[in-house]
Amino acid sequence: MSRSLLYRQLHLCLQSHSPKSKRFVLALSGGIDSRVLLDVMAEYLTLHPDHQCDAVHVHHGLNVHANEWAEKCYLWAKAVGIQCYVERVTLMKDSGDSLEQLARDARYQVLAKHIKRGDVLLTAQHADDQVETLLLALKRGSGPAGLAAMPVSTSFANGHHVRPLLQISRVDVEAYAEQKNLDWVEDDSNQDTRFDRNFLRHQITPLLVQRWPGLRKAVARSAALCGEQEALLDELLADKLALATAVDGSLALSEHTQERLGKALIRQWLQRQGVAMPSCAQLEQVWHSVVLAQQDANPQLNWQQHQIRRYQQRLYLVQQWPDIQDVQLPITCSVPCELPQGLGRVTLMPSKHGQLRLPQNDEIISVRFNPEGINVKPVGRVGKRKLKKLFQEYGVPSWNRRRTPLVYYGDQLVAVAGLFVVDGFAGQECELTWHNPLSD
């Protein structure tokens, strides 16, 4: 029995890019592309019974039919012997990012949880999607990294992400669905040409393909060549990036670094941290307004949910967090106090070799984060100083000064976690520890 074009492509792709993998996770939105991939993957499993595939449907809650779509995906997967997991997500719509980007980020975060070591994530992007992605990259003014568009295979979470239909056209996907008499969900938002990708899909790409039928293959070649150039650049700059990157993940650049080299290192540095690339204009700002800023300046660039900051001639990638200066958390001795925003936990433990005295019965222990207007004298120092100046002396970057736990007995500051004990509160009865995973 002859196999379909899509099956042959799937088989070839998996043999080429994941020959040793035996567990797959299929992202199942319910649209025609992923619905077809589900059907093709089910055929693959019948011929490879030692392989396993789960499907994951991400429920964004953005459409009135979202519950119905989730149910259909579950039933379609069940009908071909594939377990489907429905994952619900809530999008932070006031974050400043586009709804498309928020949904995409949430989707991949959920999918990553299902990938165990050596597993393969399968998504159903095809050749027409690749054309749209490259055109969007051109619109943004992207360089080789952006113009490489979507690779067939890339590292993802604990395994790999493979797009087995990337050489297949939308026409072939639709023909397969009709031949197999498949049904799928239709998201009405896919017709809304206010979204850039939909505008390209419905009004631009069809005209381009009609004029140049070989466009899809040409785009695939161009994207592959850009990907090769970017990979070569990564290899050539790997040693320089390693030398410039500190243990804490910061990047050492100065006004003496050649601009073209510096920008390339910044792009690679950001890419390795898994964040979206800044635009060319934003990269110009990073260079001229952050790297080349005056020595006494406190420069930064904000984009998406991150900031690029400079401190002591090093660049830091900082996540933008809501202000917590008014947060006040109670502490009980021997019980870890969980801090907000991933800052870890603070623990005050009775000890014979600690740094603090025990609190008295009427002294309520708390953690606060507002250093404003505080003058203290650390143990062993002469005279009081403003906490702001002490943070500078101890090398705490400005963006962490309102995120460093301040431990109080009553209304008296007794210690700054990880830095010092305040004079008058020293002792050996308590040990203060701060486990901060963000600095590990």
Short mmCIF file of all heavy atoms in Angstrom, two decimals, residues 217-267:
data_model
loop_
_atom_site.label_atom_id
_atom_site.label_comp_id
_atom_site.label_asym_id
_atom_site.label_seq_id
_atom_site.Cartn_x
_atom_site.Cartn_y
_atom_site.Cartn_z
N LYS A 217 9.73 26.84 -1.99
CA LYS A 217 11.05 26.19 -1.98
C LYS A 217 12.17 27.22 -1.91
O LYS A 217 13.18 27.01 -1.23
CB LYS A 217 11.21 25.30 -3.20
CG LYS A 217 10.31 24.07 -3.20
CD LYS A 217 10.57 23.18 -4.40
CE LYS A 217 9.70 21.93 -4.35
NZ LYS A 217 9.91 21.04 -5.52
N ALA A 218 11.98 28.35 -2.60
CA ALA A 218 13.01 29.39 -2.55
C ALA A 218 13.14 29.97 -1.14
O ALA A 218 14.25 30.19 -0.65
CB ALA A 218 12.66 30.50 -3.55
N VAL A 219 12.01 30.18 -0.49
CA VAL A 219 12.03 30.68 0.89
C VAL A 219 12.71 29.68 1.80
O VAL A 219 13.52 30.04 2.67
CB VAL A 219 10.59 30.98 1.38
CG1 VAL A 219 10.55 31.11 2.89
CG2 VAL A 219 10.07 32.25 0.73
N ALA A 220 12.42 28.39 1.61
CA ALA A 220 13.04 27.35 2.44
C ALA A 220 14.56 27.37 2.27
O ALA A 220 15.30 27.25 3.25
CB ALA A 220 12.48 25.99 2.07
N ARG A 221 15.02 27.55 1.02
CA ARG A 221 16.47 27.60 0.79
C ARG A 221 17.09 28.83 1.46
O ARG A 221 18.14 28.73 2.11
CB ARG A 221 16.76 27.62 -0.72
CG ARG A 221 16.54 26.31 -1.43
CD ARG A 221 17.20 26.30 -2.80
NE ARG A 221 16.69 27.36 -3.66
CZ ARG A 221 15.63 27.23 -4.45
NH1 ARG A 221 14.97 26.09 -4.48
NH2 ARG A 221 15.23 28.23 -5.22
N SER A 222 16.44 29.99 1.29
CA SER A 222 16.97 31.22 1.89
C SER A 222 17.02 31.11 3.42
O SER A 222 18.00 31.51 4.05
CB SER A 222 16.13 32.43 1.48
OG SER A 222 16.26 32.68 0.10
N ALA A 223 15.94 30.58 3.98
CA ALA A 223 15.90 30.43 5.44
C ALA A 223 16.99 29.48 5.92
O ALA A 223 17.66 29.73 6.93
CB ALA A 223 14.53 29.91 5.87
N ALA A 224 17.20 28.38 5.17
CA ALA A 224 18.24 27.42 5.55
C ALA A 224 19.62 28.05 5.46
O ALA A 224 20.47 27.84 6.34
CB ALA A 224 18.16 26.18 4.66
N LEU A 225 19.87 28.84 4.42
CA LEU A 225 21.16 29.50 4.27
C LEU A 225 21.40 30.50 5.39
O LEU A 225 22.51 30.59 5.94
CB LEU A 225 21.24 30.21 2.91
CG LEU A 225 21.37 29.29 1.69
CD1 LEU A 225 21.22 30.08 0.40
CD2 LEU A 225 22.72 28.57 1.71
N CYS A 226 20.37 31.27 5.74
CA CYS A 226 20.51 32.21 6.86
C CYS A 226 20.78 31.46 8.16
O CYS A 226 21.58 31.90 9.00
CB CYS A 226 19.25 33.06 6.99
SG CYS A 226 19.06 34.31 5.71
N GLY A 227 20.11 30.31 8.31
CA GLY A 227 20.36 29.50 9.50
C GLY A 227 21.78 28.99 9.57
O GLY A 227 22.40 28.97 10.64
N GLU A 228 22.31 28.60 8.42
CA GLU A 228 23.71 28.13 8.38
C GLU A 228 24.67 29.26 8.73
O GLU A 228 25.65 29.05 9.46
CB GLU A 228 24.01 27.56 7.00
CG GLU A 228 23.33 26.23 6.70
CD GLU A 228 23.63 25.75 5.29
OE1 GLU A 228 24.49 26.37 4.63
OE2 GLU A 228 22.99 24.77 4.84
N GLN A 229 24.42 30.44 8.19
CA GLN A 229 25.28 31.59 8.48
C GLN A 229 25.23 31.93 9.97
O GLN A 229 26.26 32.24 10.58
CB GLN A 229 24.84 32.80 7.66
CG GLN A 229 25.06 32.65 6.16
CD GLN A 229 26.55 32.53 5.82
OE1 GLN A 229 27.37 33.31 6.29
NE2 GLN A 229 26.88 31.54 5.00
N GLU A 230 24.04 31.87 10.54
CA GLU A 230 23.91 32.19 11.96
C GLU A 230 24.62 31.14 12.82
O GLU A 230 25.26 31.45 13.82
CB GLU A 230 22.43 32.27 12.33
CG GLU A 230 22.14 32.85 13.71
CD GLU A 230 22.56 34.31 13.84
OE1 GLU A 230 22.77 34.97 12.79
OE2 GLU A 230 22.69 34.77 14.98
N ALA A 231 24.50 29.87 12.42
CA ALA A 231 25.18 28.79 13.15
C ALA A 231 26.69 28.96 13.08
O ALA A 231 27.40 28.75 14.07
CB ALA A 231 24.76 27.43 12.60
N LEU A 232 27.18 29.35 11.90
CA LEU A 232 28.62 29.58 11.74
C LEU A 232 29.08 30.73 12.62
O LEU A 232 30.13 30.66 13.29
CB LEU A 232 28.95 29.86 10.28
CG LEU A 232 30.42 30.19 9.96
CD1 LEU A 232 31.33 29.03 10.35
CD2 LEU A 232 30.59 30.54 8.48
N LEU A 233 28.30 31.80 12.66
CA LEU A 233 28.64 32.95 13.50
C LEU A 233 28.68 32.54 14.97
O LEU A 233 29.57 32.95 15.72
CB LEU A 233 27.63 34.07 13.29
CG LEU A 233 27.87 35.37 14.07
CD1 LEU A 233 29.18 36.02 13.65
CD2 LEU A 233 26.71 36.34 13.84
N ASP A 234 27.71 31.71 15.38
CA ASP A 234 27.69 31.22 16.76
C ASP A 234 28.98 30.48 17.09
O ASP A 234 29.56 30.66 18.18
CB ASP A 234 26.50 30.28 16.98
CG ASP A 234 25.17 31.04 17.03
OD1 ASP A 234 25.20 32.27 17.09
OD2 ASP A 234 24.13 30.37 17.00
N GLU A 235 29.42 29.62 16.17
CA GLU A 235 30.64 28.85 16.40
C GLU A 235 31.86 29.75 16.50
O GLU A 235 32.72 29.57 17.37
CB GLU A 235 30.83 27.83 15.28
CG GLU A 235 29.80 26.71 15.27
CD GLU A 235 30.00 25.77 14.09
OE1 GLU A 235 31.08 25.83 13.47
OE2 GLU A 235 29.07 24.99 13.78
N LEU A 236 31.95 30.74 15.61
CA LEU A 236 33.12 31.61 15.57
C LEU A 236 33.19 32.51 16.80
O LEU A 236 34.30 32.89 17.23
CB LEU A 236 33.09 32.47 14.30
CG LEU A 236 33.26 31.71 12.97
CD1 LEU A 236 33.09 32.65 11.79
CD2 LEU A 236 34.61 31.01 12.92
N LEU A 237 32.03 32.86 17.36
CA LEU A 237 32.02 33.78 18.51
C LEU A 237 31.89 33.07 19.85
O LEU A 237 31.87 33.72 20.89
CB LEU A 237 30.87 34.78 18.36
CG LEU A 237 30.98 35.80 17.21
CD1 LEU A 237 29.80 36.75 17.24
CD2 LEU A 237 32.28 36.59 17.33
N ALA A 238 31.78 31.75 19.83
CA ALA A 238 31.53 31.01 21.07
C ALA A 238 32.60 31.28 22.13
O ALA A 238 32.28 31.51 23.31
CB ALA A 238 31.44 29.51 20.78
N ASP A 239 33.86 31.26 21.74
CA ASP A 239 34.94 31.49 22.72
C ASP A 239 34.90 32.91 23.27
O ASP A 239 35.09 33.13 24.48
CB ASP A 239 36.30 31.21 22.08
CG ASP A 239 36.51 29.73 21.81
OD1 ASP A 239 35.79 28.90 22.40
OD2 ASP A 239 37.40 29.39 21.00
N LYS A 240 34.65 33.88 22.40
CA LYS A 240 34.58 35.28 22.86
C LYS A 240 33.41 35.48 23.81
O LYS A 240 33.53 36.19 24.82
CB LYS A 240 34.46 36.23 21.66
CG LYS A 240 35.70 36.31 20.78
CD LYS A 240 35.51 37.32 19.66
CE LYS A 240 36.72 37.37 18.75
NZ LYS A 240 37.93 37.85 19.45
N LEU A 241 32.28 34.84 23.49
CA LEU A 241 31.12 34.98 24.37
C LEU A 241 31.39 34.34 25.73
O LEU A 241 31.03 34.89 26.77
CB LEU A 241 29.89 34.34 23.72
CG LEU A 241 28.59 34.43 24.51
CD1 LEU A 241 28.17 35.88 24.67
CD2 LEU A 241 27.48 33.64 23.82
N ALA A 242 32.04 33.19 25.73
CA ALA A 242 32.36 32.51 26.99
C ALA A 242 33.27 33.38 27.86
O ALA A 242 33.08 33.47 29.08
CB ALA A 242 33.01 31.16 26.71
N LEU A 243 34.25 34.03 27.25
CA LEU A 243 35.17 34.89 28.00
C LEU A 243 34.46 36.12 28.56
O LEU A 243 34.82 36.63 29.62
CB LEU A 243 36.34 35.32 27.11
CG LEU A 243 37.36 34.23 26.76
CD1 LEU A 243 38.35 34.74 25.73
CD2 LEU A 243 38.08 33.75 28.02
N ALA A 244 33.45 36.61 27.82
CA ALA A 244 32.78 37.84 28.22
C ALA A 244 31.63 37.60 29.19
O ALA A 244 31.10 38.54 29.77
CB ALA A 244 32.25 38.57 26.99
N THR A 245 31.24 36.32 29.39
CA THR A 245 30.10 36.01 30.24
C THR A 245 30.57 35.60 31.63
O THR A 245 31.40 34.71 31.77
CB THR A 245 29.25 34.87 29.63
OG1 THR A 245 28.86 35.23 28.30
CG2 THR A 245 28.01 34.62 30.46
N ALA A 246 30.03 36.27 32.64
CA ALA A 246 30.41 35.98 34.03
C ALA A 246 29.59 34.84 34.59
O ALA A 246 28.62 34.38 33.98
CB ALA A 246 30.23 37.24 34.88
N VAL A 247 29.97 34.37 35.78
CA VAL A 247 29.26 33.27 36.43
C VAL A 247 27.80 33.63 36.68
O VAL A 247 26.91 32.78 36.60
CB VAL A 247 29.96 32.92 37.77
CG1 VAL A 247 29.17 31.86 38.52
CG2 VAL A 247 31.38 32.43 37.51
N ASP A 248 27.52 34.91 36.96
CA ASP A 248 26.14 35.32 37.22
C ASP A 248 25.34 35.56 35.95
O ASP A 248 24.19 35.99 35.99
CB ASP A 248 26.11 36.58 38.10
CG ASP A 248 26.75 37.80 37.42
OD1 ASP A 248 27.20 37.68 36.26
OD2 ASP A 248 26.80 38.86 38.05
N GLY A 249 25.94 35.27 34.78
CA GLY A 249 25.22 35.40 33.52
C GLY A 249 25.31 36.76 32.88
O GLY A 249 24.79 36.96 31.77
N SER A 250 25.97 37.72 33.52
CA SER A 250 26.10 39.05 32.94
C SER A 250 27.15 39.04 31.83
O SER A 250 27.98 38.13 31.74
CB SER A 250 26.47 40.07 34.02
OG SER A 250 27.72 39.73 34.61
N LEU A 251 27.11 40.08 30.99
CA LEU A 251 28.00 40.18 29.83
C LEU A 251 28.89 41.38 29.97
O LEU A 251 28.42 42.52 30.14
CB LEU A 251 27.17 40.30 28.55
CG LEU A 251 27.94 40.34 27.24
CD1 LEU A 251 28.60 38.98 26.96
CD2 LEU A 251 27.02 40.72 26.07
N ALA A 252 30.20 41.16 29.92
CA ALA A 252 31.18 42.24 30.08
C ALA A 252 31.45 42.91 28.73
O ALA A 252 32.00 42.30 27.82
CB ALA A 252 32.49 41.69 30.65
N LEU A 253 31.02 44.15 28.60
CA LEU A 253 31.30 44.96 27.41
C LEU A 253 31.69 46.34 27.87
O LEU A 253 31.26 46.82 28.91
CB LEU A 253 30.07 45.05 26.50
CG LEU A 253 29.64 43.78 25.75
CD1 LEU A 253 28.38 44.06 24.94
CD2 LEU A 253 30.74 43.31 24.82
N SER A 254 32.50 47.02 27.09
CA SER A 254 32.90 48.37 27.44
C SER A 254 32.91 49.23 26.19
O SER A 254 32.66 48.77 25.08
CB SER A 254 34.31 48.36 28.07
OG SER A 254 35.27 48.08 27.07
N GLU A 255 33.22 50.52 26.40
CA GLU A 255 33.28 51.44 25.26
C GLU A 255 34.41 51.09 24.32
O GLU A 255 34.47 51.58 23.18
CB GLU A 255 33.42 52.87 25.76
CG GLU A 255 34.74 53.20 26.45
CD GLU A 255 34.74 52.84 27.93
OE1 GLU A 255 33.78 52.17 28.37
OE2 GLU A 255 35.68 53.24 28.63
N HIS A 256 35.34 50.25 24.75
CA HIS A 256 36.47 49.86 23.90
C HIS A 256 36.13 48.66 23.00
O HIS A 256 36.89 48.35 22.09
CB HIS A 256 37.67 49.51 24.78
CG HIS A 256 38.09 50.62 25.69
ND1 HIS A 256 38.51 51.85 25.22
CD2 HIS A 256 38.14 50.70 27.04
CE1 HIS A 256 38.80 52.64 26.24
NE2 HIS A 256 38.58 51.96 27.36
N THR A 257 34.99 48.00 23.25
CA THR A 257 34.60 46.88 22.41
C THR A 257 34.15 47.40 21.05
O THR A 257 33.37 48.36 20.97
CB THR A 257 33.43 46.09 23.06
OG1 THR A 257 33.81 45.68 24.38
CG2 THR A 257 33.10 44.85 22.23
N GLN A 258 34.63 46.77 19.99
CA GLN A 258 34.24 47.19 18.64
C GLN A 258 32.73 46.98 18.47
O GLN A 258 32.18 45.96 18.86
CB GLN A 258 35.03 46.37 17.62
CG GLN A 258 35.06 46.95 16.22
CD GLN A 258 33.91 46.44 15.38
OE1 GLN A 258 33.38 45.37 15.66
NE2 GLN A 258 33.54 47.21 14.37
N GLU A 259 32.05 47.98 17.89
CA GLU A 259 30.58 47.99 17.88
C GLU A 259 29.99 46.77 17.19
O GLU A 259 29.06 46.14 17.72
CB GLU A 259 30.07 49.27 17.19
CG GLU A 259 28.56 49.34 17.14
CD GLU A 259 28.06 50.67 16.56
OE1 GLU A 259 28.88 51.59 16.39
OE2 GLU A 259 26.85 50.77 16.28
N ARG A 260 30.49 46.40 16.03
CA ARG A 260 29.92 45.27 15.31
C ARG A 260 30.07 43.99 16.10
O ARG A 260 29.14 43.18 16.19
CB ARG A 260 30.58 45.15 13.94
CG ARG A 260 29.97 44.07 13.05
CD ARG A 260 30.45 44.22 11.63
NE ARG A 260 31.92 44.18 11.54
CZ ARG A 260 32.59 44.34 10.41
NH1 ARG A 260 31.93 44.58 9.28
NH2 ARG A 260 33.90 44.28 10.40
N LEU A 261 31.24 43.79 16.72
CA LEU A 261 31.46 42.61 17.56
C LEU A 261 30.56 42.66 18.79
O LEU A 261 29.96 41.65 19.18
CB LEU A 261 32.93 42.53 17.98
CG LEU A 261 33.27 41.45 19.01
CD1 LEU A 261 32.97 40.06 18.46
CD2 LEU A 261 34.74 41.56 19.42
N GLY A 262 30.47 43.83 19.40
CA GLY A 262 29.66 43.97 20.61
C GLY A 262 28.19 43.63 20.37
O GLY A 262 27.56 42.92 21.15
N LYS A 263 27.64 44.11 19.27
CA LYS A 263 26.23 43.83 18.96
C LYS A 263 26.01 42.34 18.70
O LYS A 263 25.00 41.76 19.12
CB LYS A 263 25.79 44.64 17.75
CG LYS A 263 25.64 46.13 18.02
CD LYS A 263 25.22 46.86 16.74
CE LYS A 263 25.03 48.33 16.99
NZ LYS A 263 24.67 49.06 15.75
N ALA A 264 26.96 41.72 18.02
CA ALA A 264 26.84 40.28 17.75
C ALA A 264 26.87 39.49 19.06
O ALA A 264 26.12 38.52 19.23
CB ALA A 264 27.95 39.83 16.81
N LEU A 265 27.74 39.90 19.97
CA LEU A 265 27.81 39.21 21.27
C LEU A 265 26.53 39.41 22.07
O LEU A 265 26.06 38.48 22.74
CB LEU A 265 29.02 39.71 22.06
CG LEU A 265 30.39 39.29 21.54
CD1 LEU A 265 31.49 40.00 22.31
CD2 LEU A 265 30.56 37.78 21.63
N ILE A 266 25.96 40.61 22.00
CA ILE A 266 24.71 40.87 22.72
C ILE A 266 23.60 39.99 22.17
O ILE A 266 22.82 39.39 22.93
CB ILE A 266 24.32 42.36 22.61
CG1 ILE A 266 25.30 43.22 23.41
CG2 ILE A 266 22.89 42.59 23.13
CD1 ILE A 266 25.15 44.71 23.18
N ARG A 267 23.51 39.86 20.84
CA ARG A 267 22.47 39.01 20.25
C ARG A 267 22.63 37.56 20.71
O ARG A 267 21.66 36.90 21.08
CB ARG A 267 22.53 39.10 18.72
CG ARG A 267 21.89 40.34 18.14
CD ARG A 267 21.65 40.19 16.65
NE ARG A 267 22.92 40.05 15.92
CZ ARG A 267 23.58 41.05 15.36
NH1 ARG A 267 23.11 42.29 15.43
NH2 ARG A 267 24.72 40.85 14.72
#
